[in-house]
Amino acid sequence: MKISTKVEYGLIALTDIAMNSEQGTAVSASEIAQRQHISQKYLEQILMLLKQAGFVRAQKGLKGGYSLAKPTASVKLSEVLNALDNSILADTYTPEDAQNEGLRPTVNACLWGRINLYLRELTTNITLETFLEQCRESAEQSWDYYNI
Amino acid sequence: MKISTKVEYGLIALTDIAMNSEQGTAVSASEIAQRQHISQKYLEQILMLLKQAGFVRAQKGLKGGYSLAKPTASVKLSEVLNALDNSILADTYTPEDAQNEGLRPTVNACLWGRINLYLRELTTNITLETFLEQCRESAEQSWDYYNI
DNA sequence: ATAATCTCTATTTATTTAGTAGGATATATA
DNA sequence: TATATATCCTACTAAATAAATAGAGATTAT
């Protein structure tokens, strides 16, 4: 499944903020950009999406930056993805589709609709909390892998 | 999830062939194009993919066309999708990704990899046979819906 | 004051998608 | 064998989308 950089960077940024603002300090866009090798200006646009959707709060000025606006357990991955790209979990259903005399509506209903439902269920059941836990486990595993 | 017309039309075409070549007669591209309202020239390119991947066989010349090359129960949806667009079920993993010092490899492994695995499992368990059955059920349902 | 930070909008560039187009090749049938 | 009807193959193009780049404005801790 092809993921746009916007969605990928957005999730990386959210993860970076979660991991690096634990002491109550905000994480600036420039920090994230440097750490994750992402264009800062592009990242700023993406961070605005995360802020508008209520996942992070922003603090302007010196020592400002972004911090989490909610407890990680209440952040559903499906909602984060929707905030970054509202087509990623959506059915691409058009009004003309419904009037199509061919197989298009049927295939849409039977297959793509079913796949999207599946994806929504999957991503609804992943929270930022569980995701961060998996990231830590994954990091440990690759550490072991290279050192044993 | 955004599906390209190439993939969508490919699946529609395969379904059309399955439904309309039962008497051993081949289905021509022009027939499919008319029935499904798809550009014939574009469709021809897509049918070539399905042929190259071994899902349909082609018969040139007068009264020619396409017919299924395998029993429907042995056609896995995952394989059809891969034939039409090999990125749709794939991890978008690049060599640079592995060397990235940031969170990118971790997020790739923990999230996109997991989602793709999920999608592959789902689509591997759908065969053309089961899909056709669902299409028929769906058609009956909408029939009922509008007539009762 | 000022330097650092987010905010907002416009523009540009690169890539992908969704076709269009034209002709070559093969073949059933009259 | 002539012909109409198919598939096969490749090149090209227009439109949409993705991925930034750029610049200026607003805010705020120090």
Side-chain angles (χ1 to χ4, degrees):
Chain A
M1 184 178 177
K2 210 168 53 181
I3 300 295
S4 66
T5 59
K6 188 166 68 172
V7 171
E8 192 179 358
Y9 294 169
L11 200 66
I12 288 173
L14 188 62
T15 307
D16 185 292
I17 293 166
M19 287 179 164
N20 294 289
S21 67
E22 287 170 15
Q23 317 88 333
T25 64
V27 181
S28 72
S30 70
E31 277 182 77
I32 302 173
Q34 283 195 330
R35 219 165 9 227
Q36 307 299 338
H37 311 105
I38 298 173
S39 147
Q40 179 178 337
K41 278 303 207 178
Y42 189 27
L43 184 61
E44 286 174 357
Q45 297 174 26
I46 295 169
L47 286 164
M48 274 201 290
L49 297 174
L50 291 175
K51 186 200 166 194
Q52 283 161 11
F55 298 113
V56 300
R57 63 169 66 88
Q59 171 65 41
K60 285 186 183 179
L62 200 59
K63 302 263 184 184
Y66 300 88
S67 51
L68 296 186
K70 298 184 182 185
T72 55
S74 74
V75 175
K76 293 178 184 174
L77 180 62
S78 55
E79 291 171 350
V80 176
L81 296 182
N82 275 328
L84 294 167
D85 174 1
N86 62 14
S87 80
I88 194 167
L89 296 177
D91 291 326
T92 53
Y93 179 84
T94 66
E96 310 98 62
D97 243 9
Q99 304 171 14
N100 190 308
E101 302 141 20
L103 288 167
R104 199 165 187 170
T106 304
V107 170
N108 261 300
C110 290
L111 193 65
W112 313 126
R114 186 173 160 194
I115 287 177
N116 285 327
L117 186 63
Y118 220 67
L119 279 178
R120 280 193 295 269
E121 282 179 2
L122 172 63
T123 55
T124 298
N125 289 323
I126 301 177
T127 66
L128 183 54
E129 184 179 44
T130 63
F131 175 64
L132 289 169
E133 181 53 35
Q134 282 172 6
C135 285
R136 282 186 215 102
E137 284 172 19
S138 166
E140 280 172 23
Q141 279 181 10
S142 48
W143 179 262
D144 291 347
Y145 184 80
Y146 288 112
N147 288 283
I148 291 182
Chain B
M1 183 179 176
K2 210 169 51 180
I3 300 295
S4 65
T5 58
K6 187 166 69 170
V7 172
E8 193 179 358
Y9 294 169
L11 200 65
I12 288 173
L14 188 61
T15 307
D16 184 293
I17 293 166
M19 288 178 164
N20 293 288
S21 66
E22 287 170 14
Q23 318 88 332
T25 64
V27 181
S28 71
S30 70
E31 277 183 77
I32 302 172
Q34 283 196 329
R35 230 179 343 242
Q36 306 300 336
H37 310 105
I38 299 173
S39 146
Q40 179 177 337
K41 279 302 210 179
Y42 189 28
L43 184 62
E44 286 174 2
Q45 297 174 23
I46 296 169
L47 286 164
M48 275 201 290
L49 298 174
L50 291 175
K51 186 203 166 190
Q52 282 161 12
F55 298 113
V56 300
R57 65 168 67 89
Q59 170 66 42
K60 286 187 182 178
L62 198 61
K63 303 264 183 182
Y66 300 87
S67 51
L68 295 186
K70 296 182 182 187
T72 55
S74 74
V75 175
K76 295 177 183 173
L77 180 63
S78 56
E79 291 171 350
V80 176
L81 296 182
N82 276 327
L84 294 167
D85 174 0
N86 62 14
S87 81
I88 195 168
L89 297 176
D91 292 328
T92 53
Y93 179 84
T94 67
E96 310 98 63
D97 242 9
Q99 304 170 15
N100 191 307
E101 302 140 20
L103 288 167
R104 200 165 187 171
T106 304
V107 171
N108 261 298
C110 290
L111 192 66
W112 313 126
R114 186 175 160 194
I115 287 177
N116 286 326
L117 185 63
Y118 222 67
L119 279 179
R120 280 193 295 271
E121 282 177 2
L122 172 63
T123 55
T124 298
N125 289 323
I126 301 176
T127 65
L128 183 52
E129 183 180 44
T130 63
F131 175 64
L132 289 169
E133 180 53 34
Q134 282 173 5
C135 285
R136 281 185 217 106
E137 285 173 19
S138 167
E140 280 171 24
Q141 280 181 10
S142 49
W143 179 263
D144 290 348
Y145 185 77
Y146 287 112
N147 287 282
I148 291 183

